[in-house]
Amino acid sequence: MNFWNNFKKDEQLLISHRGLRSLRAENTMAAFKQVIGTYKIVEFDVAFTKDGIAVIIHDDTLERTSNVKEFEEFKKPYKVVDYTYEQLLNLDFSSWFIKEDPFNTIKENKVSLEDLKKEQIEKIPTLKELLLFLKENNIFANIEIKDLENTNFHEIAAKEVLKIVDETKMQNKVIISSFNHTYLKQINNLNPNIDIAALQENKHPKDLINYLKSLNVKNYNCDFEITDEALVKKLIDAGFYVNVYTVNKKEDIEKLFNWGVKSVFTDY
């Protein structure tokens, strides 16, 4: 099944980036709960713990989005793959949001500081936990598998993510993307019915159309910085869906939709 068949034929969609991360700490269940009733699709990142649990986190280290420095058992460079899931459950993945106010939403009173302080501390979610939550709330997903090339999970990441998608019966409700296009080939070999997306930044691959065809992808998820109208038209004419990240200005989003972009990833 084509992922986009879940929506109206000409519908252009906003995708919530790492949950609604301007309102709650990114990639936490609190951020994903903010999506309900606002967005139909959410994007998030998957990495692995030392004991092979698929967890939701963007960085390959724990420093930016947790209080890892407060614990003696964790050592620099605080890599996610160096610690078990049980160890990661000791960490607070939400309080940094109050301290950093990364989008000035607390300062601008778009988010209540009192409400944030009343909420429970967020732990790192697992992929299975999140997919079950999305299924229950009829929300679709763009799953990004982080590039795990220098870890023990490089060879098995795609297979493990697919296994969890199968277990949660979310096969028709997900697109799986990655900057590491080897994973896309592996997914296509394991289950050609799962939609996949090539993630790209900095510059486009040479002979882009034929390259994307060689990956058997229907979707090209490209950085706004390297996207222009001619590129979008070329991709659409060749039968691809163009999905652009990460765009937070209304006029830029409108421009992309006018060009024919299928979806736009946003923090707001």
Side-chain angles (χ1 to χ4, degrees), residues 11-238:
E11 191 171 3
Q12 294 173 298
L13 295 133
L14 289 174
I15 299 179
S16 177
H17 182 229
R18 303 183 207 169
L20 201 41
R21 73 177 187 137
S22 59
L23 301 184
R24 294 295 186 276
E26 66 180 61
N27 281 331
T28 61
M29 291 307 297
F32 297 120
K33 286 170 184 171
Q34 292 290 322
V35 173
I36 297 172
T38 309
Y39 291 102
K40 296 178 182 178
I41 313 171
V42 65
E43 182 270 352
F44 51 85
D45 313 274
V46 176
F48 286 84
T49 62
K50 186 177 182 179
D51 50 341
I53 304 297
V55 289
I56 311 303
I57 186 167
H58 176 271
D59 300 3
D60 60 357
T61 60
L62 299 155
E63 195 169 357
R64 182 177 65 88
T65 58
S66 82
N67 62 337
V68 67
K69 288 183 180 177
E70 297 174 13
F71 295 82
E72 285 186 13
E73 70 178 288
F74 294 89
K75 309 293 181 192
K76 281 187 173 181
Y78 307 118
K79 285 186 175 288
V80 177
V81 292
D82 289 343
Y83 300 97
T84 65
Y85 174 60
E86 192 171 341
Q87 285 176 298
L88 295 189
L89 285 178
N90 292 316
L91 301 179
D92 168 356
F93 281 87
S94 53
S95 294
W96 70 272
F97 184 85
I98 295 175
K99 294 172 193 166
E100 299 288 332
D101 192 13
F103 294 91
N104 287 323
T105 44
I106 300 171
K107 183 181 176 183
E108 294 169 5
N109 293 316
K110 293 174 182 173
V111 178
S112 163
L113 182 58
E114 292 306 310
D115 286 350
L116 288 173
K117 286 180 176 176
K118 285 177 194 169
E119 290 176 8
Q120 65 182 31
I121 287 168
E122 291 290 322
K123 304 297 184 181
I124 193 167
T126 66
L127 175 59
K128 186 170 185 179
E129 173 189 8
L130 178 53
L131 286 181
L132 288 172
F133 167 79
L134 297 178
K135 183 181 179 184
E136 185 181 330
N137 289 284
N138 197 32
I139 298 169
F140 300 82
N142 184 120
I143 303 170
E144 179 186 336
I145 304 177
K146 302 308 291 181
D147 188 350
L148 303 165
E149 194 149 349
N150 298 313
T151 75
N152 295 332
F153 299 99
H154 176 59
E155 299 295 330
I156 63 168
K159 183 180 177 183
E160 290 300 308
V161 167
L162 266 187
K163 190 162 83 175
I164 296 165
V165 169
D166 287 344
E167 284 173 6
T168 54
K169 295 182 169 54
M170 285 285 283
Q171 299 96 324
N172 296 332
K173 292 193 167 190
V174 301
I175 289 177
I176 301 178
S177 65
S178 186
F179 285 106
N180 191 319
H181 298 166
T182 300
Y183 302 157
L184 306 180
K185 292 178 181 178
Q186 291 170 348
I187 289 163
N188 190 63
N189 287 335
L190 290 164
N191 186 348
N193 295 316
I194 296 274
D195 264 18
I196 49 180
L199 261 168
Q200 198 67 35
E201 61 183 346
N202 300 325
K203 63 179 182 178
H204 304 287
K206 289 180 181 175
D207 194 10
L208 178 59
I209 299 299
N210 284 326
Y211 177 73
L212 294 176
K213 285 179 179 176
S214 76
L215 293 175
N216 283 313
V217 300
K218 296 189 184 87
N219 295 277
Y220 189 51
N221 293 10
C222 50
D223 188 350
F224 180 47
E225 297 298 320
I226 58 169
T227 305
D228 59 42
E229 188 172 9
L231 174 88
V232 173
K233 185 178 188 311
K234 181 180 175 184
L235 286 161
I236 292 171
D237 287 348

Side-chain angles (χ1 to χ4, degrees), residues 220-262:
Y220 189 51
N221 293 10
C222 50
D223 188 350
F224 180 47
E225 297 298 320
I226 58 169
T227 305
D228 59 42
E229 188 172 9
L231 174 88
V232 173
K233 185 178 188 311
K234 181 180 175 184
L235 286 161
I236 292 171
D237 287 348
F240 294 97
Y241 296 100
V242 185
N243 312 295
V244 181
Y245 71 92
T246 303
V247 191
N248 290 329
K249 289 183 178 175
K250 190 176 180 182
E251 59 268 28
D252 290 332
I253 293 170
E254 287 175 356
K255 178 172 69 176
L256 287 165
F257 282 151
N258 286 334
W259 290 352
V261 162
K262 184 64 181 174

